């Protein structure tokens, strides 16, 4: 809401004050008091009050009505009342609150008003005050002035008209500056709110990623350990009853696997307590072997240290590959594990591949892919893509039966000449 509408409640009061002033001026004029044409000045006073009442809310309309009133008085030969001097407020309101067209109209009106006041002043007069303070003598003096003097008088009148006009423009500029400042503050507040919301969104996304990472880690650790323990427990069923030593060894292996799983879960839930040093990928292979599965493992190229984030990814990916092989593969066929380090042919990438024979019956690839978000093949793929790697899953039909193969590539740096691995 603009300033003129906030101040609009005072407009009727101002209009009533102008009306009272006009009526008082009319009654103070003996020439009009006993005249039958007293209704004319009263009408002029009422019109002036109405124009002043409209000047704030509708400056363009008030300016147009001012011209209509002035031309009507000029053409009808009705004298100008002193009360009409308050119409200067119309010029002020037009300059402060009017549209651009209204401001231009007010500015171009002032020279015409000044010329009319000087040229026709002797014929207009101020009837009431001509008897009260003797302005009639001033009117008579104006009629005797030369053209140059009348031009000077017009400049003086124009200067008087410029005072409310320039004052209105000054207030207008101040209003614009205040509105601009308010808009700037609102924009800054909106930007600050956007920054806060963006920070909150990033924090929520980070927490969700952390939650997903934790879910993947727990899935990989628990799934792998349970698969190994289950395989060991199943193998214990086939041990001869007269061989307690082997049964005891199998139970010890199950206990060791459970203990290792518990340590891994603690490391996942409390990263600060995780032991330092590179991940031992061979321990994963040894754990599967201890469960009674035959594992054929080979490592090609020169091993090299990995950054901590790649160590975790390589460890978890191989862990999930072996878990799928144990859960869904044939117990009678070996699991093949191959690690190929960069040596020029596969520059900058560590390739990890695990393949196993699927037991007779429908291919159970869907079982490996099934699971919650962040688990199974989707979990491996997400881990690899997060570090710039990739995953390939294929089922091949061979003479021995269908073979399920998962291959992962991790981006690592190529070893420099003469540099040995760990």
């Amino acid at each position: 809401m603009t300033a003129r509408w906030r101040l609009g409640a005072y407009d009727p009061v101002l209009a009533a004050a102008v009306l009272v002033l006009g009526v008082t001026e009319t009654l103070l004029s003996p020439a009009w008091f006993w005249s039958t044409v007293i209704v004319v000045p009263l009408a002029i006073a009422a019109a002036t009050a109405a124009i002043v009442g409209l000047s704030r809310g509708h400056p363009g309309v008030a300016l147009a009505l001012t011209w209509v009133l002035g031309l009507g008085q000029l053409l009808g030969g009705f004298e100008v009342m002193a009360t009409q001097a308050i119409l200067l407020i119309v010029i002020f309101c037009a300059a402060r609150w009017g549209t651009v067209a209204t401001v231009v109209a007010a500015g171009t009106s002032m020279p015409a008003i000044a010329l009319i006041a000087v040229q026709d002043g002797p014929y207009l007069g101020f009837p009431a005050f001509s008897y009260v303070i003797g302005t009639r003598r001033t009117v008579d003096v104006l009629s005797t002035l030369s053209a140059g003097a009348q031009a000077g008088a017009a400049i003086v009148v124009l200067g008087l008209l410029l005072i409310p006009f320039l004052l209105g423009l000054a207030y207008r500029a101040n209003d614009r500056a205040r509105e601009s400042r308010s808009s700037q503050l609102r924009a800054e507040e909106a930007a600050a709110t956007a920054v806060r919301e963006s920070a909150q969104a990033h924090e929520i996304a980070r927490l969700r990623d952390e939650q997903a990472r934790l879910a993947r880690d727990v899935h990989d650790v628990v799934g792998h350990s349970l698969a190994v323990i289950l395989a060991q427990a199943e193998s214990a069923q086939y041990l001869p009853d007269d061989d307690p030593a082997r049964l005891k060894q199998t139970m010890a292996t199950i206990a060791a696997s459970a203990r290792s799983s518990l340590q891994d879960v603690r490391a996942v839930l409390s990263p600060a307590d995780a032991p330092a040093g590179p991940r031992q990928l061979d321990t994963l292979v040894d754990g599967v072997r201890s469960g009674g599965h035959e594992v054929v493992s080979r490592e090609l190229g020169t091993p090299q240290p990995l950054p901590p984030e790649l160590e975790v990814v390589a460890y978890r990916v191989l862990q999930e590959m072996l878990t799928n092989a144990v859960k869904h593969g044939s117990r009678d066929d070996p699991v093949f594990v191959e690690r190929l380090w960069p040596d020029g042919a596969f520059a900058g990438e560590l390739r990890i591949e695990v393949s196993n024979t699927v037991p007779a019956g429908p291919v159970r690839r869907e079982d490996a892919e099934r699971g919650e978000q962040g688990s199974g093949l989707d979990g491996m793929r997400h881990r690899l893509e997060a570090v710039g790697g990739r995953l390939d899953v294929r089922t091949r039909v061979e003479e021995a039966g269908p073979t399920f193969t998962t291959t992962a590539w991790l981006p690592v740096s190529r070893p420099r000449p003469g540099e040995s691995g760990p």
Side-chain angles (χ1 to χ4, degrees):
M1 183 179 293
T2 59
R4 63 176 180 272
W5 291 117
R6 288 199 300 268
L7 298 175
Y10 299 99
D11 292 342
V13 177
L14 182 60
V18 172
L19 180 60
V20 170
L21 184 62
V23 172
T24 301
E25 179 184 354
T26 302
L27 297 179
L28 287 177
S29 174
W32 280 346
F33 187 76
W34 302 106
S35 174
T36 58
V37 295
I38 192 173
V39 66
V40 174
L42 292 177
I44 294 174
T48 302
I51 291 172
V52 170
L54 291 172
S55 59
R56 255 187 266 242
H58 303 279
V61 175
L63 182 64
L65 292 177
T66 300
W67 269 103
V68 171
L69 177 62
L71 291 175
Q73 288 181 257
L74 183 63
L75 296 175
F78 302 113
E79 294 181 337
V80 176
M81 299 176 63
T83 302
Q84 289 182 270
I86 201 169
L87 290 175
L88 291 174
I89 196 173
V90 176
I91 297 178
F92 170 81
C93 293
R96 181 175 182 181
W97 292 307
T99 62
V100 175
T102 301
V103 174
V104 172
T108 55
S109 298
M110 291 186 295
I113 295 174
L115 289 175
I116 293 174
V118 172
Q119 293 295 324
D120 296 328
Y123 306 101
L124 300 177
F126 301 99
F129 286 91
S130 64
Y131 294 97
V132 177
I133 60 175
T135 54
R136 177 63 63 182
R137 290 192 297 271
T138 304
V139 171
D140 294 339
V141 170
L142 285 174
S143 62
T144 62
L145 292 177
S146 64
Q150 288 184 354
I155 294 175
V156 173
V157 174
L158 181 60
L160 294 176
L161 296 174
L162 279 174
I163 292 175
F165 184 75
L166 295 178
L167 188 61
L169 291 180
Y171 275 99
R172 185 188 189 93
N174 184 63
D175 291 342
R176 295 290 177 86
R178 188 164 53 249
E179 291 176 2
S180 177
R181 178 58 179 166
S182 299
S183 299
Q184 181 181 357
L185 292 177
R186 288 193 297 270
E188 291 176 354
E189 183 178 356
T193 301
V195 170
R196 289 194 299 270
E197 292 177 351
S198 177
Q200 292 174 355
H202 281 88
E203 180 63 16
I204 292 174
R206 186 191 67 79
L207 292 176
R208 288 178 176 174
D209 288 343
E210 182 66 18
Q211 184 182 25
R213 182 199 63 79
L214 184 62
R216 287 193 299 270
D217 288 347
V218 172
H219 168 272
D220 293 344
V221 170
V222 175
H224 176 76
S225 300
L226 290 180
V228 173
I229 291 174
L230 179 61
Q232 293 169 342
E234 289 178 345
S235 65
Q237 299 176 7
Y238 302 99
L239 294 177
D241 296 336
D242 57 353
D243 194 354
R246 291 185 60 187
L247 180 60
K248 192 173 184 179
Q249 178 62 35
T250 300
M251 297 303 295
T253 303
I254 292 176
S257 298
R259 194 160 33 247
S260 175
S261 175
L262 182 60
Q263 292 175 351
D264 283 346
V265 171
R266 286 175 177 172
V268 168
L269 298 179
S270 301
D273 299 332
R279 295 282 183 177
Q280 300 296 328
L281 301 182
D282 290 334
T283 59
L284 294 173
V285 176
D286 294 339
V288 174
R289 285 198 182 107
S290 65
H293 277 272
E294 181 183 357
V295 180
V296 178
S297 176
R298 65 173 183 169
E299 190 170 23
L300 305 176
T302 304
Q304 60 188 81
L306 297 174
E309 64 274 10
L310 291 183
E311 288 180 4
V312 174
V313 172
Y315 187 89
R316 297 301 182 200
V317 167
L318 179 57
Q319 188 178 52
E320 181 63 23
M321 288 178 171
L322 292 172
T323 300
N324 287 337
V326 171
K327 289 172 59 177
H328 309 297
S330 173
R331 291 186 56 87
D332 298 330
D333 298 312
V335 176
F336 295 92
V337 179
E338 182 178 271
R339 283 172 285 168
L340 181 60
W341 292 89
D343 60 356
F346 296 91
E349 288 184 324
L350 166 63
R351 191 187 74 181
I352 302 176
E353 183 173 277
V354 175
S355 61
N356 60 281
T357 303
V358 180
V363 178
R364 300 174 63 186
R365 172 177 175 177
E366 293 79 5
D367 294 337
E369 295 179 339
R370 187 184 303 127
E372 299 291 336
Q373 181 180 2
S375 62
L377 298 180
D378 289 338
M380 285 193 289
R381 185 173 286 108
H382 183 85
R383 288 182 185 276
L384 292 166
E385 290 176 352
V387 296
R390 63 190 190 279
L391 179 72
D392 180 73
V393 180
R394 298 189 181 187
T395 301
R396 299 183 179 90
V397 179
E398 300 179 357
E399 294 182 1
T403 300
F404 189 69
T405 303
T406 54
T407 307
W409 290 268
L410 282 83
V412 297
S413 60
R414 186 192 301 180
R416 290 187 291 268
E419 190 177 59
S420 60

